[in-house]
């Protein structure tokens, strides 16, 4: 079974500072990993995904994540935070095989606050 | 392109009432899912469907039923609503052809049970 742990339910940064949101996963097979973003009162939007190609994945809005198998991590980063990045971010791992196809297991979410 | 559409977007129920949430997708996706979102708990899978006429239980299925009579629609029913079912419900879909399993989400349905 897959699982995801997001370290830190709330992260606060200043505008222009580095954003680092942590995600660790557990999977018995090579995983497919995702980061989604949710703005207030909206659905989830895909930021980026890891599908066993390049370990450094670039997404939308300047975000990127690095897959580190040895650390079972998939942390999300952005060099310079913008006020519009304030949202909740979810890390997710994909179910593998058979009827688990496409089922995502989500982490608890991290709320990112950006201060002027 | 509408993508995934959920109706209604908001609903207030009294304990014991019943209701149905409708999810419609226009992307010809085979797989559809219902998740609920609660603060600090992320999204938890309620039920899912791998094709028309098939459904399966997810992580938190109790108190809910689903039906997939048409490929494009996935209905979530509450037969006797309870305050513990106050939540935001999200429908999602994906295609067999997308081997990465990326899900496409609706905008959510906010349900309050008094």
């Amino acid at each position: 079974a897959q699982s995801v742990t997001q370290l830190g339910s709330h992260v606060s940064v200043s505008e222009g500072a580095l954003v680092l949101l942590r995600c660790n996963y557990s999977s018995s097979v090579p995983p497919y990993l995702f980061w989604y973003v949710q703005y207030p009162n909206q659905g989830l939007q895909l930021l980026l995904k890891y599908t066993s190609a390049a370990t450094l994945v670039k997404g939308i809005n300047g975000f990127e994540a690095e897959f580190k198998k040895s650390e079972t991590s998939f942390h999300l980063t952005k060099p310079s935070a913008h006020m519009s990045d304030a949202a909740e971010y979810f890390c997710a791992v994909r179910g593998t095989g058979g009827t688990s196809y496409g089922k995502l297991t989500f982490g608890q979410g991290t709320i990112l606050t950006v201060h002027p | 392109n509408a993508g995934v559409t959920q109706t209604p977007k908001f609903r207030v129920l009294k304990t014991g009432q019943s209701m149905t949430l409708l999810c419609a997708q226009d992307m010809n996706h085979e797989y559809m899912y219902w998740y609920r979102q609660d603060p600090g708990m992320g999204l938890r899978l309620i039920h899912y469907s791998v094709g028309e006429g098939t459904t399966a239980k997810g992580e938190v299925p109790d108190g809910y039923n689903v039906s997939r009579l048409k490929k494009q629609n996935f209905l979530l029913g509450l037969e006797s609503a309870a305050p513990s079912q106050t939540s935001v419900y999200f429908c999602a879909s994906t295609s067999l052809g997308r081997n990465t399993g990326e899900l496409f989400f609706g905008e959510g349905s906010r349900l309050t049970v008094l």
Side-chain angles (χ1 to χ4, degrees), chain B residues 5-67:
Chain B
T5 304
Q6 295 181 226
T7 53
K9 290 184 168 46
F10 302 93
R11 184 74 187 270
V12 178
L13 290 177
K14 295 181 179 179
T15 297
Q17 288 185 318
S18 64
M19 75 157 294
T20 299
L21 296 177
L22 170 63
C23 176
Q25 53 93 4
D26 61 2
M27 296 173 283
N28 201 33
H29 285 170
E30 294 83 5
Y31 288 74
M32 297 186 74
Y33 309 84
W34 277 107
Y35 286 88
R36 62 176 288 174
Q37 182 181 22
D38 302 289
M41 303 188 75
L43 279 78
R44 294 179 291 169
L45 183 63
I46 305 171
H47 285 282
Y48 64 100
S49 169
V50 301
E52 182 178 328
T54 70
T55 63
K57 294 180 180 180
E59 182 184 356
V60 288
D62 294 344
Y64 304 95
N65 56 76
V66 289
S67 64

Side-chain angles (χ1 to χ4, degrees), chain B residues 62-110:
Chain B
D62 294 344
Y64 304 95
N65 56 76
V66 289
S67 64
R68 183 101 180 264
L69 299 180
K70 295 182 178 181
K71 185 178 183 179
Q72 64 268 33
N73 295 337
F74 194 30
L75 279 64
L76 178 70
L78 285 72
E79 291 185 348
S80 179
S84 61
Q85 294 177 305
T86 293
S87 187
V88 181
Y89 293 85
F90 286 96
C91 179
S93 68
T94 193
S95 170
L96 283 174
R98 291 180 174 270
N99 59 8
T100 60
E102 171 189 346
L103 296 189
F104 294 83
F105 284 86
E107 293 194 346
S109 298
R110 185 176 297 274

